[in-house]
Amino acid sequence: MLKYFISAIIILACLFSGKLISYTFNLVFPSAIFGMLILFTLLMTGVVKHHTVLPCSAPLLKSMPLLFIPTLVGIIEHLGLLKDNLITISISVIASCIITLAVVGLIFQKLNKSTS
């Protein structure tokens, strides 16, 4: 029972820290993402061991697909709108991917030249 309590405390402390950072700096970035980054950093540095957070994280990961149901319902509700604008959406997705790849490639080349 104690291992579940410690696991929950660590996960909730990371979430609270993320919310505190988001609130303190008035950021529009989701605070849960900051919490996950904090937990990830703690796990990668070895401050928190994997087996310590496993008791609470395993059940959460098993039920994670349930969190995608509202998104899928929203997509199904707007299926007609998506079908009407399929070409526009496809072009914008492909163009944004190409632009992103080009910009990242150019930045990498510039940074790679300066370090060589």
Side-chain angles (χ1 to χ4, degrees):
M1 189 64 148
L2 184 61
K3 64 182 178 179
Y4 290 101
F5 182 71
I6 292 171
S7 177
I9 291 295
I10 292 171
I11 293 171
L12 290 173
C14 291
L15 178 62
F16 176 74
S17 300
K19 286 190 176 291
L20 188 65
I21 290 170
S22 184
Y23 178 76
T24 302
F25 297 107
N26 199 21
L27 302 171
V28 291
F29 204 70
S31 57
I33 301 295
F34 286 124
M36 284 193 292
L37 288 173
I38 292 168
L39 181 60
F40 176 74
T41 304
L42 292 174
L43 287 168
M44 292 305 292
T45 58
V47 174
V48 174
K49 302 293 184 213
H50 172 264
H51 61 84
T52 308
V53 294
L54 192 61
C56 275
S57 62
L60 290 172
L61 289 174
K62 284 181 184 174
S63 61
M64 188 178 279
L66 293 174
L67 301 175
F68 294 104
I69 292 174
T71 304
L72 294 174
V73 169
I75 288 173
I76 290 171
E77 282 182 352
H78 296 94
L79 206 52
L81 183 63
L82 290 171
K83 194 183 300 182
D84 293 342
N85 297 305
L86 183 63
I87 293 174
T88 308
I89 293 170
S90 299
I91 290 171
S92 59
V93 166
I94 292 169
S96 66
C97 287
I98 291 171
I99 291 169
T100 302
L101 285 171
V103 169
V104 168
L106 291 172
I107 290 172
F108 177 76
Q109 285 179 346
K110 189 170 263 191
L111 290 174
N112 199 21
K113 280 183 185 176
S114 65
T115 59
S116 299

